Amino acid sequence: MSSSRLGLRLAVCLLNISEARRKYIVENVAKAALLEKNGQKHPEVSVLSIFSDQEYNRSVITIAASVAELGNSILAACLEAFQSIDMEVQEGIHPCLGAVDLIPIYPLSGIGVEECGAVARSIGASPYVMNCNVTIDSQDLALGKEIASAIRGSNVNGLKGVQTMAFPHEGKIEIACNVESFEDQEVTETSEGSQYMAYSVLGDHFYYVSPHYIEAQVKKLASDWGIGTTGRALIGFTPQECKNCAEYAIKEGIGEFWKIRRGIFM
């Protein structure tokens, strides 16, 4: 059943917090997003996933809700994070701005970017941005940065909408990619095996580079140096997966959906 038939207008926040090593704190932040001011669980809010990386000491909490409730849920989660995370002792290899690092908001169904922006106010809203990381079997950070630069969308022959950085991670190098959605009338082929995937919100069509294609490009570039890749991590969901999970979780009243899907703690 679609969210429009459910009477819901859904948006999602991929809340980035600077904590991953203390699981109870991460889950307390997630649970705070689910509660109304009276302490009761809100039926139109669900935490879809928690992705925690202990080496980065960073977690991404995916909070989906009706647009009318998302702002309050985000605020409650942020307050819990501010109270629980001491940045004077926080350590991690990923750059961060504070206990709450990023608060991006994306439309899922029945709502556009502009209305999401009104909810976000100074936070900011955009079409969905996916996170996809590919690990190369090397400890050479300079090589990782070269590969990251080669696929970066702002460079010649780079992948459209892809922003990249390279980090040391678990004894290897991880190519971390933010994969932006974009509107492009010239994109014609969209499938799992092609370069682009597609989805729509309120009749507007958006495209993004396929995680499989990103992995293939990193693998090709690494192989030119005689190096392999060891895996790919999708942080959370693709846009369509996020929409489907949000509709199901809210329809069924499952606030702690991440416990069914199982949060990922690395």
Side-chain angles (χ1 to χ4, degrees), residues 13-58:
C13 174
L14 273 60
L15 182 67
N16 286 238
I17 64 171
S18 299
E19 178 60 65
R21 296 170 185 168
R22 294 174 294 177
K23 183 177 178 180
Y24 73 95
I25 287 181
V26 178
E27 292 197 344
N28 283 345
V29 173
K31 291 174 181 178
L34 301 174
L35 300 180
E36 298 184 274
K37 290 182 179 180
N38 61 8
Q40 298 297 311
K41 287 189 176 181
H42 200 289
E44 293 186 1
V45 181
S46 179
V47 175
L48 302 182
S49 72
I50 299 173
F51 186 99
S52 291
D53 188 302
Q54 294 194 18
E55 193 159 356
Y56 284 0
N57 203 9
R58 184 182 183 89

Side-chain angles (χ1 to χ4, degrees), residues 7 12 17 53 55 67 80 104 115-116 121 186 229 235 263 265:
V12 66
I17 64 171
D53 188 302
E55 193 159 356
V67 67
E80 180 66 28
E115 192 170 356
C116 273
R121 297 175 185 166
E186 297 180 2
T229 59
I235 316 303
F265 291 84

Side-chain angles (χ1 to χ4, degrees), residues 34 46-49 237 244-246 248-250 254-263:
L34 301 174
S46 179
V47 175
L48 302 182
S49 72
F237 307 91
N244 292 344
C245 288
Y248 176 79
I250 292 174
I254 307 171
E256 297 180 352
F257 186 81
W258 89 85
K259 290 185 176 180
I260 297 175
R261 187 177 182 268
R262 295 189 179 181

Side-chain angles (χ1 to χ4, degrees), residues 6-228:
L6 289 170
L8 296 176
R9 299 184 306 135
L10 301 178
V12 66
C13 174
L14 273 60
L15 182 67
N16 286 238
I17 64 171
S18 299
E19 178 60 65
R21 296 170 185 168
R22 294 174 294 177
K23 183 177 178 180
Y24 73 95
I25 287 181
V26 178
E27 292 197 344
N28 283 345
V29 173
K31 291 174 181 178
L34 301 174
L35 300 180
E36 298 184 274
K37 290 182 179 180
N38 61 8
Q40 298 297 311
K41 287 189 176 181
H42 200 289
E44 293 186 1
V45 181
S46 179
V47 175
L48 302 182
S49 72
I50 299 173
F51 186 99
S52 291
D53 188 302
Q54 294 194 18
E55 193 159 356
Y56 284 0
N57 203 9
R58 184 182 183 89
S59 296
V60 179
I61 302 171
T62 302
I63 305 167
S66 63
V67 67
E69 301 300 332
L70 185 59
N72 289 334
S73 292
I74 294 170
L75 179 59
C78 289
L79 288 174
E80 180 66 28
F82 292 142
Q83 293 169 2
S84 303
I85 301 170
D86 184 353
M87 291 305 295
E88 290 189 3
V89 298
Q90 199 271 359
E91 295 180 346
I93 62 173
H94 196 290
C96 62
L97 299 174
V100 175
D101 203 43
L102 291 173
I103 316 175
I105 296 177
Y106 312 125
L108 290 179
S109 185
I111 180 175
V113 172
E114 289 186 3
E115 192 170 356
C116 273
V119 173
R121 297 175 185 166
S122 61
I123 298 170
S126 73
Y128 200 97
V129 178
M130 182 178 64
N131 302 113
C132 175
N133 300 340
V134 182
T135 301
I136 61 172
D137 193 11
S138 172
Q139 297 181 346
D140 188 340
L141 182 58
L143 173 59
K145 290 181 177 180
E146 186 169 334
I147 292 173
S149 177
I151 66 171
R152 189 172 296 135
S154 59
N155 291 338
V156 177
N157 299 322
L159 304 180
K160 186 169 183 176
V162 175
Q163 301 174 340
T164 59
M165 296 182 72
F167 297 104
H169 188 259
E170 297 182 347
K172 302 185 188 300
I173 301 298
E174 186 168 75
I175 312 300
C177 305
N178 284 349
V179 186
E180 297 178 340
S181 300
F182 55 87
E183 296 180 89
D184 193 335
Q185 301 299 322
E186 297 180 2
V187 174
T188 56
E189 184 182 0
T190 57
S191 66
E192 190 69 19
S194 69
Q195 181 171 352
Y196 299 110
M197 301 289 289
Y199 67 100
S200 63
V201 178
L202 286 181
D204 294 325
H205 300 286
F206 297 96
Y207 305 89
Y208 61 94
V209 179
S210 159
H212 292 285
Y213 191 83
I214 292 171
E215 183 178 23
Q217 293 303 107
V218 171
K219 184 175 292 188
K220 179 179 180 298
L221 291 165
S223 68
D224 292 341
W225 294 87
I227 294 169

